[in-house]
Amino acid sequence: MSAQPKLVRFNENVLSRYRIYNSIFMTLPFDTITNTGVLLPLFHEVCKQGFKEGKNPTTIVETFFDKYLSKSSEEEKINLLFRFIQYIERQVVLFDAIEDSTFSVINNMDGIGTLRSLKETAAQEDKFDELKKYLEEFKVRIVLTAHPTQFYPGSVLGIINDLTSAIKENDLNSINTLLAQLGKTPFLNREKPTPYDEAVSLIWYLENVFYDSFGKIYNYIQQNIFDNETINNEIINIGFWPGGDRDGNPFVLPETTQKVAKRLKQTVLKSYYRDIRKLKRKLTFKGVADKIENLDKLVYKSSVDDDELDTIKLEEFVKELEKIKAIIVDKHQSLYLNEVNKLLNKIKLFGFYFATLDVRQDSRIHHKVFTTLVDKTLENGLTIFPKNYHELSEEDQVKILSEVNDSINIDITKDDELVYNTLKTIEVVKEIQEQNGEKGANRYVISNNQTALNVMQLFAMLKLVAFKDKLTVDVVPLFETVNDLQNAPAVMEQLYLNKNYRNHLTERGDKQTIMLGFSDGTKDGGYLMANWAIFKAKEQLTEVSRKYDVDVVFFDGRGGPPARGGGKTHQFYASLGPTIEDKEVQLTIQGQTISSNFGTDESAQYNLEQLISSGLSNSLYSKNLGLSKEDVEVMNELAEISYKTYSDFKNHPMFVPYLERMSTLKYYAKTNIGSRPSKRSKSDKLIFSDLRAIPFVGSWSQLKQNVPGFFGVGTALKTFEENNEWNRVEKLYKDSSFFRTLLANSMMSLTKSFFELTQYMADDKEFGAFWKIIFEEYKTTKRLLLKISGYKELMQNEPAGKASIEVRESIVLPLLTIQQFALRKLQEFEKLSEKDMEEVEVFEKMVTRSLFGNINASRNSA
C-alpha cells in the first residue's frame, strides 16, 4: 500500500489519467467530435471567467458565440450547444471509469472500516469471541430500489465496465476503441422503461457485482474469523424493489411482480451454473465427476427453460453438493474443498431467489382498497365484517381486523381494477414463496403509515387473500413525515399490545421491521429536523420494542445525497450509540449510488465492509455512551429553530412558483429514465405534497443551490452564536459523532453548491428577494460550519473527496451554463402572447438533455 497521501494518489492516478485520456477523446477522427473537442475547452474558459466576473449564463453563451462563432447561423450555434452536451456526457463517463478503475489505489482496502481491520482490532483488544458472537446475529441488508436517478442505458453501462477494465490494465488500444464506441453510442432511452426494464437493469448488478462480492465477504468472515466453521447467519443479504414497489406507480401490476421474481430465480441459477462449470474442470476424480456432471445438467435446464424452472429443488441442490464435499474430504484429501464451500456459501446467501422482492404501497391506497373490500363482502352476503364496520371506532376496527380468520375469493372485486390488482399482488407473493422460497418475497412495506389501523388493514388483507393458516410475510410500516415519526412509538405500542399481532411477531422470531423515510422527512421538515426526528424516533421505538420483548429492525429509506439520508452512510451508523437497536443495518440504495458505491467488485466489497464494520464498531468498540441531557437539549433547540426556518421558507408564497418556473422540476418527467410518474397526483397544478423527493431534491441540485441539504442549519447555529451560547454547540460538536456526521454531510451539500450560476436571479423582479433568502442562508451556514469545525475550507478533512467533486463540477460547468441559458430563453417565451412552439421545443429539449450529464456527474444528486 502506498504511503502517499490520498490526495496525491488521486491527483496521480485519477486526475492525470483523465487529462491524458480526455485528450485522446478530443482527437477522435469524427467530424463532430473533433470540432466539439476543439471548441469546448474555449467555451469552458469563457464560462469560468464569465462567472468570476459576475456575468449571467445568457451573456456568457452570447460572448462565446460573438468571439468564436460570429459568422455561424443560429441553427449552427444551437447544434453546437447540443454537441457540447453530448460530449460532456461522455467526459463524465470517462471520469467515472477512471475513478472506478483506481478505486483500490485511492482507498485502503485493508484500512479502517474493512473486515481485516475489524478482525485485527478484535484480536488486539481480546474481543475475538465477542466479534464472533455478534456476527452470528448481525446483518446488513442493502435494498436496490425502483427510483432511477441513473441516466445511463444498458449499452453505456457495458462500455463503462469495459473501459474501467481497460484503464486498469492500461490497455491503450482498447481504451482508444472504447472511447470511439462511446462517441457513437446514444445515451438516451427513446421510450420510458417499464418496471420490468428497470428490474432487468438492476439485476445486472446482482449478477455481475453482488454475486461475487457478497461471496468474497462471506468467505473471508468464515475462513478468517470463524476458522472455516459453519456460520448460522448469512450476515449480508439483498432486497429488491423494482417490480414490487407500487407506491405511486400504476404500471407495476401483479404479473410484473411475478415476472421479476422469475427473472431473479433464472439469473441466480445461471450464476450457479457458471460456478458449476468451473468446478467441473477441477472435480475430475472418481465418485465426484459424475455427480457434478448431473448437477450441471439439472441447473442448466432450470436456468434456460421457463417450463423447467423447478427441475431442481434448492434442498436437492444443497444435498448433492454436501455429498460431493463429503467424498472430497473422505477420499480425495479435501482437494478443492474451498471451491465447493464457496458455492455453498453463495447458495446460503442467495437461495433460489437472489434478492428478496419487497412489495410496497401507500396506506391511502390500502384504505380505499380495504373500504371497497368490506363493501364487496357485505354485498356478497359474507359475514367476515359486521354491517356497521365503517361506523365503528378505530380501536374496534383494529380489534376486528386482528381476529380475522377467514378467506375470500378476490374475484368479487374484479370490477374494480385497483382493488383487484392490490389483492392479486398478495396472491402473487404467496406464489413466489412457493416457487423461489419464503425469502423470495416476504415483506410488505406500507408507505405513509400513520396509524395502527393502516398496519392492521394490510394484516387482515394478507390473511384473507392468501395467508389464512400461516402469515409468512413481515408487515413493515414506513413513517416519513415529522409528525408521523413523532407518533410512531405510540402506533407500535398499540400494535404490540394487540394479542393477535403480537402472536404473529412471535411466529416471525419476535422481530419487527420498521422503515423510516429520510427523503420525505427532509422534504417535510428540513435537514436537521428530519435527521433528529428519525434519531429520536429510533430511540423511542427501541425503548418501546424492548419493553415488549420485540427485536426492532430499522430499515432506512435513503437516497443518494445528504438531503435524502445519503453522504457518509457508514459514519452515520457508527455514530448512533447504545440507545438505538443496531443488530441489523438495512438501507435503500438507488440510482447513481448503486453505480458509484457498488458499481465494481472492489467498490462494492469496500462499501459493504464499511457498513458491516460500522454496525459492529458501534456495539463492540464505541465509546459513544449516548447524548448527555445537555446535548439533547441543544440538539432539540437546533432542530426546532431549523424546522421553523425551513417551514417558513417552504410556506413562502414564491416557493412553489420558484421551483416550477426557475428550476428543472417539470422537466424530470420528460427524461424517460423511470417508469414511475414524477408526482403522485394527475393534477396539472403543482402541489407541494404531491412532489416526489427525487425531482424535488434533484431540481435544487440542478440549480446548484442544494437547499434541502443545508437550509435552516445556518440560522439554527447563528441563533446560538447571537445568544452568546456558542459554547453549548461546540460541546455538542465535540461530544457527538452523530452531530459531527450530520454537519459533515451538510458540508458536502454546500461544496456542491455554486450560486454564481444563478446570481442573475437576484435582479429578477419576481424572484429576486426569494433567491437572496436562499443565498443568505447558504453564506450563514458555510461560515458557521467552518467556525464550528475549525476548517479553513469545506471538506478540509476529505481532500480527495473534495478534489473529485471539484473535477466533476468543473466538467459540467459548461453544461450547467447551457441549461440556465435554455431556461432563461423559456422564461422569456412565457412572457410572450405568441411564441414559436418549434423554438420552445428546442430549448425544452436542451434543458432535458442537460439534466443527464449533470446528474451523472454528481453521483449522488437525487
Side-chain angles (χ1 to χ4, degrees), residues 262-496:
K262 182 182 281 190
R263 180 67 177 248
L264 284 165
K265 182 173 182 177
Q266 285 178 323
T267 306
V268 79
L269 283 167
K270 285 175 184 173
S271 299
Y272 294 150
Y273 174 69
R274 283 194 293 271
D275 278 354
I276 288 170
R277 295 288 292 175
K278 292 173 188 173
L279 275 175
K280 264 181 73 175
R281 295 183 60 142
K282 296 174 179 178
L283 304 181
T284 53
F285 19 91
K286 190 177 177 182
V288 174
D290 56 337
K291 289 185 179 298
I292 202 77
E293 176 68 30
N294 186 49
L295 269 183
D296 180 287
K297 289 175 182 174
L298 289 173
V299 176
Y300 176 74
K301 192 183 288 187
S302 292
S303 68
V304 297
D305 189 338
D306 282 3
D307 296 328
E308 301 287 345
L309 198 54
D310 296 323
T311 296
I312 186 168
K313 302 295 182 187
L314 181 64
E315 299 76 14
E316 178 189 356
F317 191 15
V318 173
K319 194 174 178 182
E320 283 302 300
L321 283 171
E322 290 289 358
K323 284 179 184 176
I324 289 169
K325 184 176 165 182
I327 295 169
I328 289 171
V329 172
D330 186 43
K331 296 184 178 179
H332 301 291
Q333 294 77 48
S334 298
L335 196 58
Y336 294 124
L337 179 62
N338 273 346
E339 302 305 310
V340 179
N341 276 334
K342 286 176 182 177
L343 179 54
L344 280 166
N345 283 344
K346 285 177 178 174
I347 295 168
K348 184 173 185 175
L349 294 175
F350 303 117
F352 275 7
Y353 60 94
F354 216 159
T356 298
L357 188 57
D358 288 348
V359 175
R360 184 173 75 136
Q361 184 55 281
D362 192 287
S363 65
R364 292 164 290 194
I365 298 294
H366 280 160
H367 185 72
K368 289 178 188 175
V369 169
F370 192 76
T371 300
T372 306
L373 178 63
V374 171
D375 293 340
K376 291 290 183 182
T377 59
L378 294 173
E379 286 171 21
N380 283 271
L382 301 175
T383 57
I384 300 168
F385 305 103
K387 290 180 180 178
N388 67 337
Y389 174 83
H390 294 312
E391 285 74 53
L392 296 174
S393 68
E394 183 175 311
E395 187 178 342
D396 288 338
Q397 288 182 346
V398 166
K399 185 174 186 299
I400 288 168
L401 297 180
S402 71
E403 295 170 353
V404 161
N405 189 29
D406 213 325
S407 56
I408 59 165
N409 184 337
I410 67 170
D411 286 348
I412 63 172
T413 66
K414 261 199 167 172
D415 59 344
D416 190 316
E417 188 179 8
L418 174 65
V419 176
Y420 181 78
N421 282 338
T422 303
L423 301 179
K424 181 64 181 174
T425 297
I426 294 171
E427 284 190 350
V428 166
V429 168
K430 178 80 169 181
E431 290 167 11
I432 292 170
Q433 289 193 356
E434 290 166 355
Q435 293 159 5
N436 294 9
E438 187 196 305
K439 290 182 180 178
N442 65 358
R443 307 203 311 180
Y444 198 128
V445 180
I446 311 167
S447 54
N448 191 45
N449 196 96
Q450 298 178 335
T451 64
L453 182 61
N454 293 152
V455 172
M456 295 313 298
Q457 285 175 338
L458 176 60
F459 180 79
M461 285 192 288
L462 286 164
K463 298 193 82 170
L464 285 168
V465 173
F467 296 92
K468 177 188 171 185
D469 300 324
K470 186 178 183 183
L471 180 52
T472 52
V473 176
D474 296 325
V475 180
V476 181
L478 165 53
F479 300 101
E480 300 177 85
T481 67
V482 172
N483 283 338
D484 291 346
L485 288 164
Q486 291 169 346
N487 294 333
V491 170
M492 294 315 300
E493 182 159 35
Q494 188 180 346
L495 291 167
Y496 294 154

Side-chain angles (χ1 to χ4, degrees), residues 517-585:
F518 283 78
S519 300
D520 283 293
T522 303
K523 176 175 159 265
D524 176 58
Y527 178 72
L528 263 190
M529 175 55 90
N531 280 277
W532 181 234
I534 287 172
F535 185 94
K536 288 198 297 182
K538 282 186 175 182
E539 282 194 321
Q540 292 161 7
L541 288 165
T542 297
E543 185 180 355
V544 74
S545 299
R546 287 173 178 170
K547 177 181 174 183
Y548 294 98
D549 297 319
V550 174
D551 287 330
V552 66
V553 175
F554 295 117
F555 174 23
D556 292 333
R558 294 177 174 276
R564 298 185 55 233
K568 299 294 180 183
T569 309
H570 58 276
Q571 290 177 6
F572 175 87
Y573 287 112
S575 73
L576 292 180
T579 54
I580 291 174
E581 199 68 75
D582 61 355
K583 287 180 183 173
E584 295 194 28
V585 169

Side-chain angles (χ1 to χ4, degrees), residues 469-678:
D469 300 324
K470 186 178 183 183
L471 180 52
T472 52
V473 176
D474 296 325
V475 180
V476 181
L478 165 53
F479 300 101
E480 300 177 85
T481 67
V482 172
N483 283 338
D484 291 346
L485 288 164
Q486 291 169 346
N487 294 333
V491 170
M492 294 315 300
E493 182 159 35
Q494 188 180 346
L495 291 167
Y496 294 154
L497 285 167
N498 183 288
K499 185 180 76 172
N500 292 303
Y501 187 78
R502 184 64 185 84
N503 287 341
H504 162 65
L505 291 183
T506 299
E507 290 173 1
R508 303 298 290 164
D510 291 314
K511 187 178 288 187
Q512 172 68 58
T513 302
I514 298 172
M515 189 172 179
L516 303 163
F518 283 78
S519 300
D520 283 293
T522 303
K523 176 175 159 265
D524 176 58
Y527 178 72
L528 263 190
M529 175 55 90
N531 280 277
W532 181 234
I534 287 172
F535 185 94
K536 288 198 297 182
K538 282 186 175 182
E539 282 194 321
Q540 292 161 7
L541 288 165
T542 297
E543 185 180 355
V544 74
S545 299
R546 287 173 178 170
K547 177 181 174 183
Y548 294 98
D549 297 319
V550 174
D551 287 330
V552 66
V553 175
F554 295 117
F555 174 23
D556 292 333
R558 294 177 174 276
R564 298 185 55 233
K568 299 294 180 183
T569 309
H570 58 276
Q571 290 177 6
F572 175 87
Y573 287 112
S575 73
L576 292 180
T579 54
I580 291 174
E581 199 68 75
D582 61 355
K583 287 180 183 173
E584 295 194 28
V585 169
Q586 295 193 10
L587 69 158
T588 54
I589 308 287
Q590 66 192 48
Q592 305 141 296
T593 315
I594 297 172
S595 58
S596 61
N597 289 356
F598 302 93
T600 65
D601 280 349
E602 288 174 340
S603 63
Q605 188 172 338
Y606 180 83
N607 285 300
L608 283 166
E609 288 188 18
Q610 292 289 324
L611 283 172
I612 293 171
S613 178
S614 68
L616 293 172
S617 298
N618 192 33
S619 289
L620 296 182
Y621 310 114
S622 177
K623 295 174 183 174
N624 179 0
L625 301 176
L627 295 169
S628 67
K629 186 179 177 183
E630 163 67 10
D631 286 340
V632 169
E633 286 176 7
V634 175
M635 197 68 227
N636 272 328
E637 290 174 43
L638 286 168
E640 288 295 340
I641 297 165
S642 174
Y643 182 43
K644 184 180 185 309
T645 304
Y646 177 78
S647 297
D648 289 346
F649 174 67
K650 190 177 71 175
N651 294 326
H652 192 289
M654 287 293 108
F655 186 89
V656 172
Y658 182 82
L659 274 177
E660 190 170 25
R661 287 159 51 196
M662 304 299 277
S663 83
T664 58
L665 182 67
K666 61 187 175 186
Y667 298 97
Y668 266 80
K670 300 177 182 180
T671 54
N672 286 342
I673 58 159
S675 66
R676 197 172 68 163
S678 59

Side-chain angles (χ1 to χ4, degrees), residues 50-64:
F51 287 122
K52 195 179 287 184
E53 295 170 3
K55 294 178 180 175
N56 67 55
T58 304
T59 303
I60 289 170
V61 172
E62 288 173 350
T63 299
F64 171 75

